[in-house]
């Protein structure tokens, strides 16, 4: 049997228990030349498996050592040691064990007088030494081996060695030297006749790394793509994954965070599937870079802790230092400046021990940024923040020192980042000339290389400098350019990541709005305010973006199946977490002590569900590549306003509250001295009052009513009295709150004699631009969800000619669920509402999520009377109880409900977390995205009996043809007019309900 036949049959056996005796038997039958050929064949197979199947690589290396035991040939053992060393180093990251085997193999070759093989044995060793921070020794060893290989014209091993030397220079930030070596390596591969080999491809994706670091982004992308294509053709999935990782990092630098996250997720799955835990954990470090930009700091800290733990065990300080650096940035982003500086000091020390000047400079640059941000947070100059440890240099000095290092090492991207931080520091030190000089150079690089994150920040600072010097037109132009770049960055994100990304970037909108008002440009000021509000929700409506849990491609199916399984498990566990008696409120109480375990299990499941959902959305966020969808603009407002309607849009800009007053013909604005601290205090006191009423006897409520009116009167003085002259001329109000004002019941503000709803019909919107998208449907077609602007008659939406008439649509679906009898009036309420409309009722066991999915889309209105739960810790799991489980925000994203009205008659259904960009995260957002034209929601816990009475009046008026806004106002006013018990006059009973969206007829 020939050596090739032996090798083929050996590998075909698969199982090591069968392979070993077969190998021993056949190796003994071969002559010396045959044994040498078989050993060489096994070594080649081990190398191939190393790049594709780590378990088979381990198995093949063990077979080589078995064979050496049979033949007693030291060369065979050396080959086995090299295969095992490569497994430890490249596959598993166990570098000390690898170096021991490389050294033993080299000694065997030296003893046999095999100089070329001895030099070849150093190829993997120098990479392992570099990983342990022994760079100089690795370079010295590499130079010695290269000299021998060149003398002997061993071009193939010399090419591999040259590639590994280049990798050391990349690690040290010496990219120009690395690029030269990589080009030499590729020439050597070609000289050896291996131009399309895996080694050439690996050199190509390492070349992509150097090109990126040197600022040649397009060439870097091309190199990565070429390497990926070749490695896939060569059936090297693991190496192709490494090339994708390089491409992902380039995407990250260019602000393409969604593309980067998608690629990195693919890469991690490849590594995990092949048992490469070290590579998979390292990928988590690169993922954390993206998550820092999305301000997901808890996730960053979790991932970096994994990296620290594993790489500390492996003894690779460089990766540990990188993880600590990202931890520091996360701490700073979360406002923990002292912890950030401590971590930066630790990371810098590790980089210094590693001899890495560029990463030491990176740590210094982050230290400068932290000092600047800490100074802004405390109202002092960053370098003088006494509570934080001092690095011994000012932010400007640290940034300029880092800039010099990056310039010396030829790293223009890092140099531009350092120049921007230096400009920010110079501006803080009232040195605008130096700041402008630095910004001019930063912008020249950022614009020529298309780096929007640098461009956005640079123009924002230029705007502040111009405004400080009194040049308002130049300042507004700079702010506008900054906002364009910011919105381009934001537009490249999966929609659910956009709120987090914008959390710390609202300042430029506030600057632009304030400057527009200074210049008397009220209309443009309103437009900038609108561009800062709830854009993700608006884009869900405008571009029909889908957030539902559904498989949009075959590869999504396993992920959707796992999400479904986890959601069912979460539903089961959540029942254990819930408290028992709700005290007559349609909400949930705090979990008792014996339910803490269930709570922790639920929270862990929810995190897993959220992560998998985000993974699904990232995969399907093709819209993030469409430049046409990045253009953010405000939708027209005035064409949708009637003559008796006033839209009040509030906007918080630094220390001012701005009120835009928009009518069918005019746009005005007024500025108020910052009332937010007082508003916050009054809101907290009002919430205390409401909670006390919920637990009080009727006789006690009168006292609480007077207290509530006093609080609401002070809120009226702050938020409405300054515009009372405008309010008097309009009957209908549309309120667009901002920031903390979203938590206020504007319709219940009290002027000392009357509540606002007694004089005005009040409805709400997340932003004025939503007026276009909440116009009532004249049919039941889902295609009507987006209504293009009608240029012939701008007051009307464009409607499909095939739309059904209102009378052809089914009436109302009312669902009532009493939560095991705790809320008996929910069932009665649903029955009464359905009777008023001749609608359909689904009660108790019939009130299911499945029934809502099947029947809801065909109705004009949906009424849900049940138990609700607001989850401020994770609004994705706020929800309503139905017979077959919780209907959560996540579930609602999968529904299609193009209905005129959805009423959520449960506790806190209108509560939401106000995220970055004034994004309202909760049930309201989900139902609007599902297609509802309007929602009746609650701001706080609602009492069961009074809610049923209010809903009876509300739907009675709707059935009589009243508009939604007028019907809700009338139902609430009956409590004030004494038509119900006197106790119900307290706002606790009637004011939680508010109307969002279209306030017109129920069609």
């Amino acid at each position: 049997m020939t050596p090739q036949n032996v090798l083929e049959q050996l590998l075909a056996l698969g199982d090591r228990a069968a392979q070993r005796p077969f190998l021993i038997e056949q190796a003994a039958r071969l002559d010396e030349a045959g044994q040498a050929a078989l050993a060489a064949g096994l070594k080649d197979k081990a190398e191939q498996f190393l790049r594709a199947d780590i378990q088979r690589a381990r198995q093949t290396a063990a077979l080589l050592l078995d064979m050496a035991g049979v033949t007693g040939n030291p060369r065979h053992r050396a080959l086995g040691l090299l295969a095992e060393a490569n497994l430890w180093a490249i596959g598993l990251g166990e570098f000390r064990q690898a170096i021991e085997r490389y050294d033993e193999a080299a000694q065997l070759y030296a003893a046999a007088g095999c100089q070329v093989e001895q030099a070849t044995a150093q190829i993997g060793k120098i990479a392992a030494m570099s990983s342990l921070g022994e760079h100089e020794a690795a370079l010295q060893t590499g130079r010695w081996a290269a000299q021998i290989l060149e003398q002997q014209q061993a071009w193939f091993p010399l090419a591999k060695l040259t590639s590994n030397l280049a990798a050391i220079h990349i690690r040290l930030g010496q990219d120009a030297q690395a690029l030269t070596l990589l080009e030499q390596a590729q020439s050597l591969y070609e000289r050896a006749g291996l131009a399309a080999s895996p080694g050439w491809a690996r050199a190509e994706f390492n070349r992509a790394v150097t090109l990126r670091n040197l600022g040649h982004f397009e060439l870097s992308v091309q190199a990565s793509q070429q390497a990926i294509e070749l490695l896939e053709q060569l059936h090297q999935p693991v190496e192709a994954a490494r090339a994708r990782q390089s491409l992902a990092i380039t995407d990250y630098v260019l602000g393409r965070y969604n593309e980067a996250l998608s690629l990195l997720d693919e890469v991690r799955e490849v590594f995990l599937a092949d048992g490469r835990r070290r590579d998979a954990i390292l990928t988590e470090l690169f993922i954390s870079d993206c998550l820092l930009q999305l301000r997901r700091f808890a996730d960053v800290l979790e991932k970096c802790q994994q990296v620290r733990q594993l790489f500390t065990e492996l003894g690779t300080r460089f990766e540990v230092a990188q993880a600590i650096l990202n931890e520091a940035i996360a701490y700073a982003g979360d406002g923990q400046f002292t912890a950030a500086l401590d971590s930066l000091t630790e990371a810098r020390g590790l980089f210094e021990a590693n001899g890495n000047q560029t990463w030491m400079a990176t740590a210094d640059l982050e230290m400068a940024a932290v000092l600047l941000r800490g100074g802004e947070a405390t109202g002092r100059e960053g370098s003088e923040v006494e509570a934080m440890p001092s690095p011994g240099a000012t932010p400007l000095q640290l940034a300029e020192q880092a800039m010099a290092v990056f310039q010396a090492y030829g790293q223009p991207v890092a140099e531009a980042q350092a120049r921007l931080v230096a400009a920010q520091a110079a501006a803080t030190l009232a040195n605008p000339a130096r700041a402008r000089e630095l910004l001019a150079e930063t912008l020249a690089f950022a614009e020529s290389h298309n780096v929007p994150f640098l461009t956005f920040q640079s123009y924002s600072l230029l705007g502040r400098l111009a405004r400080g010097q009194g040049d308002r037109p130049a300042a507004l132009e700079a702010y506008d350019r900054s906002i364009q770049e910011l919105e381009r960055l934001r537009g490249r994100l999966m929609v659910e990541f956009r709120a987090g990304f914008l959390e710390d970037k609202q300042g430029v909108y506030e600057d632009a709005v304030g400057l527009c008002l200074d210049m008397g440009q009220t209309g443009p000021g309103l437009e900038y305010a609108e561009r800062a509000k709830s854009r993700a929700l608006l884009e869900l409506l405008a571009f029909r973006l889908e957030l539902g849990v559904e498989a949009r491609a075959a590869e999504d199916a396993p992920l959707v199946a796992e999400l479904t399984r986890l959601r069912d498990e979460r539903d089961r566990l959540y029942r254990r977490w819930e408290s028992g008696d709700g005290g007559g409120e349609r909400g949930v109480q705090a979990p008792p002590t014996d339910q803490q375990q269930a709570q922790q299990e639920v929270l862990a499941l929810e995190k897993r569900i959220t992560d998998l959902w985000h993974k699904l959305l990232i995969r399907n966020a093709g819209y993030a590549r469409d430049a046409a969808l990045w253009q953010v603009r405000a939708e027209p407002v005035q064409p949708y306003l009637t003559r008796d309607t006033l839209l009040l849009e509030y906007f918080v800009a630094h220390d001012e509250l701005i009120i835009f007053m928009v009518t069918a013909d005019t746009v005005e604005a007024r500025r108020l001295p910052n009332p937010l601290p007082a508003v916050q205090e009054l809101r907290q006191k009002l919430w205390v009052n409401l909670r006390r009423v919920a637990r009080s006897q009727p006789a006690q409520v009168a006292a609480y009513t007077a207290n509530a009116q006093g609080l609401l009167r002070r809120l009226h003085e702050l938020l409405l009295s300054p515009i009372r002259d405008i309010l008097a001329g309009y009957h209908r109000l549309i309120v667009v709150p901002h920031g903390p004002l979203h938590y206020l019941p504007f319709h219940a503000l009290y002027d000392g004699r009357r509540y606002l709803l007694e004089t005005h019909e009040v409805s709400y919107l997340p932003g004025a631009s939503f007026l276009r998208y909440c116009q009532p449907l004249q049919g039941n077609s889902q295609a009507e969800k987006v209504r293009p602007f009608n240029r012939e008659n701008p007051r009307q939406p464009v409607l499909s000619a095939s739309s059904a008439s209102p009378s052809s649509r089914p009436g109302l679906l009312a669902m009532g669920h009493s939560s095991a009898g705790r809320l008996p009036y929910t069932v009665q309420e649903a029955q009464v509402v359905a009777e008023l409309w001749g609608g359909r009722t689904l009660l108790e066991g019939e009130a299911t999520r499945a029934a809502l999915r099947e029947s809801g889309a065909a109705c004009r209105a949906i009424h849900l009377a049940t138990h609700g739960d607001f989850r401020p810790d994770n609004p994705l799991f706020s929800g309503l109880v139905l017979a077959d489980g919780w209907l959560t925000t996540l579930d609602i994203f999968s529904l299609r409900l193009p209905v005129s009205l959805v009423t959520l008659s449960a506790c806190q259904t209108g509560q939401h977390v106000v995220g970055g960009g004034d994004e309202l995260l909760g049930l309201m957002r989900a139902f609007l995205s599902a297609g509802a034209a309007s929602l009746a929601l609650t701001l706080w816990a609602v009492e069961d009996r009074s809610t049923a009475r209010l809903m009876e009046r509300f739907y009675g008026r709707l059935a009589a043809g009243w508009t939604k806004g007028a019907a809700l106002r009338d139902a609430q006013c009956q409590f004030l007019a004494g038509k119900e018990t006197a106790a119900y006059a307290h706002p606790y009973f009637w004011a939680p309900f508010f109307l969002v969206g279209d306030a017109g007829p129920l069609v």
Side-chain angles (χ1 to χ4, degrees), residues 214 231 774 997:
L214 294 169
L231 289 164
C774 68

Side-chain angles (χ1 to χ4, degrees), residues 4 7 11 36-46 48 60 79:
Q4 182 62 32
L7 180 62
L11 296 177
L38 179 58
L42 282 169
K43 175 64 164 56
D44 288 343
K45 285 296 182 183
Q48 291 176 26
T60 308
L79 284 174

Side-chain angles (χ1 to χ4, degrees), residues 460-503:
S460 178
L461 182 54
L462 270 180
R464 292 199 297 272
L465 290 171
R467 187 171 186 177
Q469 293 184 337
D471 191 345
R472 291 176 175 177
L476 187 57
E477 181 181 356
Y479 288 148
D480 190 71
R481 289 292 303 274
S482 176
I483 289 170
Q484 288 179 36
E485 293 300 300
L486 173 60
E487 290 172 349
R488 181 154 71 104
L489 274 168
R490 177 191 165 282
R492 298 210 65 145
L493 287 171
M494 183 269 286
V495 69
E496 283 301 282
F497 286 158
R498 294 176 180 181
F501 175 72
L502 289 175
E503 278 181 7

Side-chain angles (χ1 to χ4, degrees), residues 166-394:
I168 297 173
H169 286 288
I170 292 174
R171 203 172 178 88
L172 289 170
Q174 300 165 352
D175 293 285
Q177 297 96 310
L179 182 59
T180 299
L181 287 170
L182 287 167
E183 290 170 347
Q184 291 176 6
Q186 289 182 310
S187 296
L188 288 166
Y189 278 117
E190 292 164 4
R191 192 169 185 177
L194 297 168
S197 67
W200 188 95
R202 286 194 291 274
E204 183 69 355
F205 75 68
N206 276 326
R207 196 170 75 88
V209 174
T210 63
L211 289 168
R212 176 183 66 241
N213 293 341
L214 294 169
H216 306 305
F217 300 124
E218 291 185 10
L219 293 175
S220 176
V221 169
Q222 292 171 11
S224 291
Q225 291 173 337
Q226 185 169 351
I228 292 167
E229 183 178 350
L230 178 54
L231 289 164
E232 287 178 341
Q233 291 173 0
L234 295 170
H235 305 292
Q236 297 262 327
V238 173
E239 293 306 294
R242 295 191 200 281
R244 282 193 175 86
Q245 186 165 271
S246 174
L247 180 59
I249 297 170
T250 304
D251 282 332
Y252 159 76
V253 172
L254 293 174
R256 302 169 185 165
Y257 304 129
N258 203 76
E259 289 96 322
L261 285 167
S262 181
L263 281 172
L264 289 170
D265 182 67
E266 292 177 23
V267 167
R268 178 180 54 195
E269 294 305 314
V270 171
F271 291 150
L272 288 173
D274 198 41
R276 298 172 187 264
R277 180 168 174 258
R278 172 192 176 273
D279 291 312
I281 294 295
L282 185 59
T283 303
E284 298 283 11
L285 181 62
F286 300 133
I287 290 173
S288 77
D289 289 330
C290 296
L291 296 182
L292 281 172
Q293 301 304 319
L294 307 182
R295 295 181 59 79
R296 297 183 59 187
F297 302 129
D299 290 338
V300 171
L301 293 173
E302 180 182 333
K303 291 181 184 298
C304 288
Q305 187 58 40
Q306 295 176 18
V307 176
R308 286 187 70 166
Q309 182 176 343
L310 176 63
F311 286 91
T312 297
E313 294 170 3
L314 296 176
T316 53
R317 292 178 295 184
F318 178 67
E319 285 80 7
V320 172
Q322 286 183 311
I324 296 172
L325 181 68
N326 277 11
E327 286 179 3
I329 299 171
Y331 284 135
D334 200 35
Q336 302 180 53
F337 301 115
T338 299
L341 287 180
D342 289 343
S343 292
L344 285 170
T345 301
E346 183 182 359
R348 192 187 194 283
L350 289 172
F351 289 134
E352 186 172 13
N354 213 284
N356 199 311
Q357 295 294 318
T358 56
W359 281 93
M360 289 166 61
T362 301
D364 287 341
L365 183 61
E366 292 298 338
M367 196 170 292
V370 169
L371 290 168
L372 282 171
R373 294 175 66 183
E376 291 175 0
T378 59
R380 291 175 284 176
E381 183 181 326
S383 59
E384 297 177 357
V385 178
E386 298 171 1
M388 302 194 312
S390 172
T394 68

Side-chain angles (χ1 to χ4, degrees), residues 890-957:
L890 179 58
D891 298 315
I892 297 159
F893 281 128
S894 297
L895 298 179
R896 300 294 176 271
L897 300 173
V899 300
S900 182
L901 172 68
V902 175
T903 299
L904 303 183
S905 185
C907 290
Q908 302 177 347
T909 54
Q911 283 276 22
H912 29 247
V913 172
V914 181
D918 209 48
E919 208 66 56
L920 306 180
L921 309 178
L923 291 171
M924 180 190 77
R925 177 169 173 260
F927 273 105
L928 288 175
S929 71
S934 62
L935 299 168
L937 304 165
T938 60
L939 272 174
W940 53 78
V942 296
E943 194 268 337
D944 191 29
R945 182 177 180 182
S946 61
T947 297
R949 293 189 179 187
L950 189 146
M951 287 295 117
E952 180 178 357
R953 179 79 170 204
F954 175 43
Y955 279 91
R957 293 304 193 190

